[in-house]
Coordinates of all heavy atoms in Angstrom, one line a residue:
P1 N 19.1 -33.7 94.4 CA 18.1 -34.3 93.5 C 18.8 -35.0 92.3 O 19.8 -34.5 91.8 CB 17.2 -33.2 93.1 CG 17.6 -32.0 94.0 CD 18.9 -32.3 94.6
T2 N 18.2 -36.0 91.8 CA 18.7 -36.7 90.6 C 17.6 -36.8 89.6 O 16.4 -37.1 89.9 CB 19.1 -38.1 91.0 OG1 20.2 -38.0 91.9 CG2 19.7 -38.9 89.8
A3 N 17.9 -36.7 88.3 CA 17.0 -36.9 87.2 C 17.5 -37.8 86.2 O 18.7 -37.8 86.0 CB 16.7 -35.5 86.5
T4 N 16.7 -38.7 85.6 CA 17.1 -39.6 84.6 C 16.4 -39.2 83.3 O 15.1 -39.1 83.3 CB 16.8 -41.0 85.0 OG1 17.4 -41.3 86.2 CG2 17.2 -42.0 83.9
L5 N 17.1 -39.0 82.2 CA 16.5 -38.7 80.9 C 16.6 -40.0 80.0 O 17.7 -40.6 79.9 CB 17.2 -37.6 80.3 CG 17.3 -36.3 81.1 CD1 18.2 -35.3 80.3 CD2 15.9 -35.7 81.3
A6 N 15.5 -40.4 79.4 CA 15.5 -41.5 78.5 C 14.5 -41.3 77.4 O 13.5 -40.6 77.6 CB 15.2 -42.8 79.3
A7 N 14.8 -41.9 76.3 CA 13.9 -41.8 75.1 C 12.8 -42.9 75.3 O 13.1 -44.0 75.9 CB 14.7 -42.0 73.8
P8 N 11.7 -42.7 74.6 CA 10.7 -43.8 74.6 C 11.2 -45.1 74.1 O 12.0 -45.1 73.1 CB 9.6 -43.2 73.7 CG 9.8 -41.8 73.7 CD 11.3 -41.6 73.9
G9 N 10.9 -46.2 74.7 CA 11.3 -47.5 74.2 C 12.8 -47.8 74.5 O 13.4 -48.7 73.9
S10 N 13.3 -47.0 75.4 CA 14.7 -47.2 75.8 C 15.7 -47.0 74.6 O 16.9 -47.5 74.7 CB 15.0 -48.5 76.6 OG 14.8 -49.6 75.7
G11 N 15.3 -46.4 73.6 CA 16.3 -46.0 72.5 C 17.0 -44.7 72.8 O 16.8 -44.1 73.8
L12 N 17.8 -44.3 71.9 CA 18.5 -43.0 72.1 C 17.6 -41.8 71.8 O 16.8 -41.9 70.9 CB 19.7 -42.9 71.1 CG 20.9 -43.7 71.5 CD1 22.0 -43.4 70.4 CD2 21.5 -43.3 72.8
A13 N 17.7 -40.8 72.6 CA 17.0 -39.6 72.4 C 17.6 -38.9 71.2 O 18.8 -39.0 70.9 CB 17.1 -38.6 73.6
R14 N 16.8 -38.2 70.4 CA 17.4 -37.4 69.3 C 18.1 -36.2 69.8 O 19.2 -35.9 69.4 CB 16.3 -37.1 68.3 CG 16.9 -36.3 67.1 CD 15.9 -36.2 65.9 NE 14.6 -35.9 66.3 CZ 13.5 -35.9 65.5 NH1 13.8 -36.2 64.2 NH2 12.3 -35.7 65.9
S15 N 17.4 -35.5 70.7 CA 18.0 -34.3 71.3 C 17.7 -34.3 72.8 O 16.6 -34.7 73.3 CB 17.4 -33.0 70.7 OG 17.7 -33.0 69.3
I16 N 18.6 -33.7 73.6 CA 18.4 -33.4 75.0 C 18.6 -32.0 75.3 O 19.7 -31.4 74.9 CB 19.3 -34.3 75.9 CG1 19.1 -35.8 75.6 CG2 19.2 -33.9 77.4 CD1 20.1 -36.7 76.3
Y17 N 17.7 -31.3 75.9 CA 17.8 -29.9 76.3 C 17.6 -29.8 77.8 O 16.6 -30.3 78.3 CB 16.7 -29.1 75.6 CG 16.7 -29.0 74.1 CD1 16.0 -30.0 73.4 CD2 17.5 -28.1 73.5 CE1 16.1 -30.0 72.0 CE2 17.5 -28.0 72.1 CZ 16.8 -29.0 71.3 OH 16.9 -29.0 70.0
L18 N 18.5 -29.1 78.5 CA 18.4 -29.0 79.9 C 18.8 -27.5 80.2 O 19.9 -27.1 79.9 CB 19.3 -29.9 80.6 CG 19.5 -29.8 82.1 CD1 18.1 -30.1 82.8 CD2 20.5 -30.7 82.7
T19 N 17.9 -26.8 80.9 CA 18.2 -25.5 81.4 C 17.9 -25.4 82.8 O 16.8 -25.8 83.3 CB 17.3 -24.4 80.6 OG1 17.6 -24.5 79.2 CG2 17.6 -23.0 81.1
S20 N 18.8 -24.8 83.6 CA 18.6 -24.7 85.0 C 19.1 -23.3 85.5 O 20.0 -22.8 84.9 CB 19.5 -25.8 85.8 OG 19.4 -25.6 87.2
A21 N 18.4 -22.8 86.5 CA 18.9 -21.5 87.1 C 20.0 -21.7 88.1 O 20.7 -20.8 88.4 CB 17.7 -20.9 87.8
E22 N 20.3 -23.0 88.5 CA 21.3 -23.3 89.4 C 22.4 -24.2 88.8 O 22.4 -24.4 87.6 CB 20.7 -24.0 90.6 CG 19.6 -23.2 91.4 CD 19.0 -23.9 92.5 OE1 19.4 -25.1 92.8 OE2 18.1 -23.4 93.1
D23 N 23.3 -24.6 89.6 CA 24.4 -25.5 89.1 C 23.8 -26.8 88.6 O 22.8 -27.3 89.1 CB 25.4 -25.9 90.3 CG 26.3 -24.8 90.6 OD1 26.3 -23.7 90.0 OD2 27.0 -24.9 91.6
V24 N 24.5 -27.3 87.5 CA 24.1 -28.6 86.9 C 25.2 -29.6 87.1 O 26.4 -29.2 86.7 CB 23.7 -28.4 85.4 CG1 23.4 -29.7 84.8 CG2 22.6 -27.4 85.3
M25 N 25.0 -30.8 87.5 CA 26.0 -31.8 87.6 C 25.6 -32.8 86.5 O 24.6 -33.4 86.6 CB 26.1 -32.5 88.9 CG 27.2 -33.5 89.0 SD 27.5 -34.2 90.6 CE 28.0 -32.8 91.5
L26 N 26.6 -33.1 85.6 CA 26.3 -34.0 84.5 C 26.9 -35.3 84.7 O 28.0 -35.5 85.1 CB 26.9 -33.4 83.2 CG 26.3 -32.1 82.7 CD1 27.0 -31.7 81.4 CD2 24.8 -32.2 82.5
G27 N 26.0 -36.3 84.4 CA 26.5 -37.7 84.3 C 26.5 -38.1 82.8 O 26.6 -37.2 81.9
N28 N 26.3 -39.4 82.5 CA 26.3 -39.8 81.1 C 25.1 -39.2 80.4 O 24.0 -39.3 80.8 CB 26.2 -41.3 81.0 CG 27.5 -42.0 81.6 OD1 28.6 -41.4 81.5 ND2 27.4 -43.2 82.0
L29 N 25.4 -38.7 79.2 CA 24.3 -38.2 78.3 C 24.7 -38.6 76.9 O 25.8 -38.4 76.5 CB 24.2 -36.7 78.4 CG 23.7 -36.0 79.6 CD1 23.7 -34.5 79.5 CD2 22.3 -36.5 79.9
R30 N 23.7 -39.1 76.2 CA 23.9 -39.6 74.8 C 22.7 -39.3 74.0 O 21.6 -39.6 74.4 CB 24.3 -41.0 74.8 CG 24.7 -41.5 73.4 CD 25.3 -42.8 73.4 NE 25.6 -43.3 72.0 CZ 25.7 -44.5 71.7 NH1 25.5 -45.5 72.5 NH2 25.9 -44.8 70.4
A31 N 22.9 -38.6 72.8 CA 21.8 -38.3 71.9 C 22.3 -38.4 70.5 O 23.5 -38.3 70.3 CB 21.2 -36.9 72.2
T32 N 21.4 -38.7 69.6 CA 21.9 -38.8 68.2 C 22.2 -37.5 67.5 O 23.1 -37.4 66.7 CB 20.9 -39.5 67.3 OG1 19.6 -38.8 67.4 CG2 20.7 -41.0 67.8
T33 N 21.5 -36.4 67.9 CA 21.7 -35.1 67.2 C 22.3 -34.0 68.1 O 23.3 -33.5 67.8 CB 20.4 -34.6 66.7 OG1 19.8 -35.6 65.8 CG2 20.5 -33.3 65.9
L34 N 21.7 -33.7 69.2 CA 22.1 -32.5 70.0 C 21.9 -32.7 71.5 O 20.9 -33.3 72.0 CB 21.2 -31.3 69.6 CG 21.4 -30.0 70.5 CD1 22.7 -29.4 70.3 CD2 20.3 -29.0 70.1
I35 N 22.9 -32.3 72.3 CA 22.8 -32.1 73.7 C 23.1 -30.7 74.0 O 24.1 -30.1 73.7 CB 23.8 -33.0 74.5 CG1 23.4 -34.5 74.2 CG2 23.8 -32.7 76.0 CD1 24.4 -35.5 74.8
S36 N 22.1 -30.0 74.7 CA 22.2 -28.6 75.0 C 22.0 -28.5 76.5 O 20.9 -28.8 77.0 CB 21.2 -27.8 74.2 OG 21.3 -26.4 74.7
V37 N 23.0 -28.0 77.3 CA 22.9 -27.8 78.7 C 23.2 -26.3 79.0 O 24.3 -25.8 78.6 CB 23.8 -28.7 79.5 CG1 23.7 -28.5 81.0 CG2 23.5 -30.2 79.1
Q38 N 22.3 -25.7 79.8 CA 22.6 -24.3 80.1 C 22.3 -24.1 81.6 O 21.2 -24.5 82.1 CB 21.7 -23.3 79.3 CG 21.9 -21.9 79.6 CD 21.1 -21.0 78.7 OE1 20.3 -21.4 77.9 NE2 21.3 -19.7 78.8
S39 N 23.2 -23.4 82.3 CA 23.0 -23.0 83.7 C 23.0 -21.5 83.7 O 24.0 -20.8 83.5 CB 24.1 -23.5 84.6 OG 23.9 -23.0 85.9
T40 N 21.8 -20.9 83.9 CA 21.7 -19.4 83.7 C 22.3 -18.6 84.8 O 22.7 -17.5 84.6 CB 20.2 -19.0 83.5 OG1 19.5 -19.5 84.6 CG2 19.6 -19.5 82.2
F41 N 22.4 -19.2 86.1 CA 23.0 -18.5 87.2 C 24.0 -19.3 87.9 O 24.3 -19.1 89.1 CB 21.9 -18.0 88.2 CG 21.0 -17.0 87.6 CD1 19.7 -17.4 87.2 CD2 21.4 -15.7 87.4 CE1 18.9 -16.4 86.6 CE2 20.5 -14.8 86.8 CZ 19.3 -15.1 86.4
G42 N 24.5 -20.4 87.3 CA 25.5 -21.3 88.0 C 26.5 -21.9 87.1 O 26.8 -21.3 86.1
S43 N 27.0 -23.0 87.5 CA 28.1 -23.7 86.8 C 27.5 -25.1 86.2 O 26.5 -25.6 86.7 CB 29.2 -24.0 87.7 OG 29.8 -22.8 88.2
I44 N 28.3 -25.6 85.3 CA 28.0 -27.0 84.8 C 29.2 -27.8 85.3 O 30.4 -27.5 85.0 CB 27.9 -27.0 83.3 CG1 26.7 -26.2 82.8 CG2 27.8 -28.5 82.8 CD1 26.6 -26.1 81.3
R45 N 28.9 -28.8 86.1 CA 30.0 -29.6 86.7 C 30.0 -31.0 86.3 O 29.0 -31.6 85.9 CB 29.8 -29.6 88.3 CG 29.7 -28.2 88.9 CD 31.1 -27.7 89.1 NE 31.0 -26.5 89.8 CZ 32.0 -25.6 89.8 NH1 33.1 -25.8 89.1 NH2 31.9 -24.5 90.5
D46 N 31.2 -31.6 86.3 CA 31.4 -33.0 86.0 C 31.0 -33.8 87.3 O 31.2 -33.2 88.4 CB 32.9 -33.2 85.7 CG 33.2 -34.6 85.3 OD1 32.3 -35.5 85.3 OD2 34.4 -34.9 85.1
D47 N 30.5 -35.0 87.1 CA 30.2 -35.8 88.3 C 31.3 -36.4 89.0 O 31.2 -37.1 90.0 CB 29.1 -36.8 88.0 CG 29.6 -37.9 87.0 OD1 30.8 -37.9 86.6 OD2 28.8 -38.8 86.7
G48 N 32.6 -36.2 88.5 CA 33.7 -36.8 89.2 C 34.1 -38.2 88.8 O 35.1 -38.7 89.3
D49 N 33.3 -38.8 88.0 CA 33.5 -40.2 87.5 C 34.2 -40.2 86.2 O 33.7 -39.6 85.2 CB 32.2 -40.9 87.4 CG 32.3 -42.4 87.0 OD1 33.4 -42.8 86.5 OD2 31.3 -43.1 87.2
D50 N 35.5 -40.7 86.1 CA 36.2 -40.7 84.9 C 35.6 -41.4 83.7 O 36.0 -41.1 82.6 CB 37.6 -41.2 85.1 CG 38.5 -40.3 85.9 OD1 38.2 -39.1 86.0 OD2 39.5 -40.8 86.5
S51 N 34.7 -42.3 84.0 CA 34.0 -43.0 82.9 C 32.8 -42.3 82.3 O 32.2 -42.8 81.4 CB 33.6 -44.4 83.3 OG 32.6 -44.4 84.3
T52 N 32.4 -41.2 82.9 CA 31.2 -40.4 82.5 C 31.5 -39.9 81.1 O 32.6 -39.4 80.8 CB 30.9 -39.3 83.4 OG1 30.5 -39.9 84.7 CG2 29.7 -38.5 83.0
Y53 N 30.5 -39.9 80.2 CA 30.6 -39.3 78.9 C 29.4 -38.5 78.5 O 28.3 -38.7 79.0 CB 30.9 -40.4 77.8 CG 29.7 -41.4 77.7 CD1 28.6 -41.1 76.9 CD2 29.7 -42.6 78.4 CE1 27.6 -42.0 76.8 CE2 28.6 -43.5 78.3 CZ 27.6 -43.2 77.5 OH 26.5 -44.1 77.4
I54 N 29.6 -37.6 77.6 CA 28.5 -36.8 76.9 C 28.8 -37.0 75.4 O 29.9 -36.6 75.0 CB 28.6 -35.3 77.3 CG1 28.4 -35.2 78.8 CG2 27.6 -34.5 76.6 CD1 28.6 -33.8 79.3
R55 N 27.8 -37.6 74.7 CA 28.1 -37.9 73.3 C 26.9 -37.5 72.5 O 25.8 -37.9 72.7 CB 28.4 -39.4 73.2 CG 28.8 -39.8 71.9 CD 29.3 -41.2 71.8 NE 30.5 -41.4 72.7 CZ 30.7 -42.4 73.5 NH1 29.9 -43.4 73.5 NH2 31.8 -42.4 74.2
A56 N 27.2 -36.7 71.4 CA 26.1 -36.3 70.5 C 26.9 -35.7 69.3 O 28.0 -35.3 69.4 CB 25.2 -35.3 71.0
R57 N 26.1 -35.6 68.2 CA 26.7 -34.9 67.0 C 27.1 -33.5 67.3 O 28.1 -33.0 67.0 CB 25.8 -35.0 65.8 CG 26.4 -34.4 64.5 CD 25.5 -34.4 63.3 NE 24.5 -33.3 63.6 CZ 23.3 -33.3 63.1 NH1 22.9 -34.3 62.4 NH2 22.5 -32.3 63.4
D58 N 26.2 -32.8 68.0 CA 26.4 -31.4 68.4 C 26.2 -31.2 69.9 O 25.2 -31.8 70.4 CB 25.4 -30.4 67.7 CG 25.7 -30.4 66.2 OD1 26.8 -30.2 65.7 OD2 24.7 -30.7 65.4
I59 N 27.1 -30.5 70.6 CA 27.0 -30.3 72.0 C 27.2 -28.9 72.3 O 28.1 -28.2 71.8 CB 28.2 -31.1 72.7 CG1 28.0 -32.6 72.5 CG2 28.2 -30.8 74.2 CD1 29.2 -33.5 72.9
S60 N 26.3 -28.3 73.2 CA 26.3 -26.9 73.6 C 26.3 -26.9 75.1 O 25.3 -27.4 75.7 CB 25.1 -26.2 73.0 OG 25.1 -24.9 73.6
L61 N 27.3 -26.3 75.7 CA 27.4 -26.1 77.2 C 27.6 -24.6 77.4 O 28.5 -24.0 77.0 CB 28.6 -26.9 77.8 CG 28.6 -28.4 77.5 CD1 29.9 -29.0 78.1 CD2 27.4 -29.1 78.1
I62 N 26.6 -24.0 78.1 CA 26.6 -22.6 78.4 C 26.3 -22.4 79.9 O 25.4 -22.9 80.4 CB 25.5 -21.8 77.6 CG1 25.8 -22.0 76.1 CG2 25.5 -20.4 78.0 CD1 24.7 -21.5 75.3
A63 N 27.2 -21.7 80.6 CA 27.1 -21.5 82.0 C 27.5 -20.0 82.3 O 28.4 -19.5 81.7 CB 27.9 -22.4 82.8
S64 N 26.8 -19.4 83.3 CA 27.2 -18.1 83.7 C 28.4 -18.1 84.6 O 29.2 -17.1 84.6 CB 26.0 -17.4 84.5 OG 25.8 -18.1 85.7
D65 N 28.7 -19.2 85.2 CA 30.0 -19.4 86.0 C 30.9 -20.3 85.3 O 31.3 -20.1 84.1 CB 29.7 -19.9 87.4 CG 29.0 -18.8 88.2 OD1 29.2 -17.6 88.0 OD2 28.2 -19.1 89.2
N66 N 31.3 -21.4 85.9 CA 32.3 -22.3 85.3 C 31.7 -23.5 84.6 O 30.6 -24.0 84.9 CB 33.2 -22.8 86.5 CG 33.9 -21.7 87.2 OD1 34.6 -20.9 86.5 ND2 33.9 -21.6 88.5
I67 N 32.5 -24.1 83.7 CA 32.2 -25.4 83.1 C 33.3 -26.3 83.5 O 34.5 -26.1 83.2 CB 32.1 -25.3 81.6 CG1 30.9 -24.4 81.3 CG2 31.9 -26.7 81.0 CD1 30.7 -24.2 79.8
G68 N 33.0 -27.4 84.2 CA 34.0 -28.4 84.7 C 34.3 -28.0 86.2 O 33.4 -27.7 86.9
S69 N 35.5 -28.0 86.6 CA 35.9 -27.7 88.0 C 37.2 -26.9 87.9 O 37.8 -26.8 86.9 CB 36.0 -28.9 88.8 OG 37.2 -29.6 88.5
A70 N 37.7 -26.5 89.1 CA 38.9 -25.7 89.1 C 40.1 -26.6 88.8 O 41.1 -26.1 88.3 CB 39.1 -25.1 90.5
T71 N 40.0 -27.9 89.0 CA 41.2 -28.8 88.8 C 41.1 -29.7 87.7 O 42.0 -30.3 87.2 CB 41.4 -29.6 90.1 OG1 40.3 -30.4 90.4 CG2 41.7 -28.7 91.3
E72 N 39.9 -29.9 87.1 CA 39.6 -30.9 86.1 C 39.0 -30.3 84.8 O 38.1 -29.5 84.9 CB 38.7 -32.0 86.5 CG 39.2 -32.9 87.7 CD 40.3 -33.8 87.3 OE1 40.2 -34.3 86.1 OE2 41.2 -34.1 88.1
K73 N 39.5 -30.6 83.7 CA 38.9 -30.2 82.4 C 37.7 -31.0 82.1 O 37.6 -32.2 82.5 CB 39.9 -30.3 81.2 CG 41.0 -29.3 81.3 CD 41.9 -29.4 80.1 CE 43.0 -28.4 80.1 NZ 43.8 -28.5 79.0
F74 N 36.7 -30.5 81.5 CA 35.5 -31.2 81.2 C 35.6 -31.6 79.7 O 35.9 -30.9 78.8 CB 34.3 -30.2 81.3 CG 33.0 -30.9 81.3 CD1 32.5 -31.5 82.4 CD2 32.1 -30.8 80.2 CE1 31.3 -32.2 82.4 CE2 30.9 -31.4 80.2 CZ 30.5 -32.1 81.3
C75 N 35.4 -32.9 79.5 CA 35.6 -33.5 78.2 C 34.3 -33.9 77.5 O 33.4 -34.4 78.2 CB 36.6 -34.7 78.2 SG 38.2 -34.3 78.8
C76 N 34.2 -33.7 76.3 CA 33.0 -34.1 75.5 C 33.5 -34.8 74.2 O 34.6 -34.5 73.7 CB 32.2 -32.9 75.1 SG 31.6 -32.0 76.5
S77 N 32.7 -35.7 73.7 CA 33.0 -36.3 72.4 C 31.9 -36.1 71.4 O 30.7 -36.2 71.8 CB 33.4 -37.8 72.5 OG 32.3 -38.5 72.9
K78 N 32.2 -35.8 70.2 CA 31.2 -35.7 69.1 C 31.0 -37.1 68.5 O 32.0 -37.8 68.2 CB 31.6 -34.7 68.1 CG 31.6 -33.3 68.6 CD 31.9 -32.3 67.6 CE 30.7 -32.1 66.7 NZ 30.8 -31.0 65.8
A79 N 29.7 -37.5 68.4 CA 29.4 -38.8 67.8 C 29.5 -38.7 66.3 O 29.5 -37.7 65.6 CB 28.0 -39.2 68.2

């Protein structure tokens, strides 16, 4: 399954909150203030695309298992 998050009027969201009981695969996410992603019983995974970014002033990634993958580090940038 795929989900697209967007702010009204196609502007930037102020905050993005995502909580899942399973693994989460992240693509591009951008918000002005906060991005918070939590996987309560799984991992947070990169989508494997080197051009993917997560950008916000504050970023919170919480997973009960892994963040990233066994071979790649997960990178984030603060806006």
Side-chain angles (χ1 to χ4, degrees):
T2 301
T4 301
L5 303 174
S10 66
L12 284 179
R14 184 168 35 189
S15 299
I16 297 172
Y17 298 90
L18 174 63
T19 301
S20 174
E22 299 178 5
D23 286 355
V24 175
M25 183 175 294
L26 295 180
N28 292 334
L29 292 176
R30 187 170 175 203
T32 58
T33 304
L34 172 68
I35 295 173
S36 175
V37 179
Q38 181 175 7
S39 176
T40 54
F41 296 104
S43 298
I44 298 173
R45 302 280 185 204
D46 182 5
D47 65 0
D49 182 342
D50 288 341
S51 67
T52 297
Y53 63 86
I54 298 171
R55 188 172 295 143
R57 186 184 72 207
D58 297 305
I59 298 168
S60 172
L61 302 176
I62 300 170
S64 65
D65 288 331
N66 299 310
I67 297 176
S69 73
T71 59
E72 297 284 330
K73 291 184 178 180
F74 195 76
C75 297
C76 301
S77 66
K78 291 184 76 168

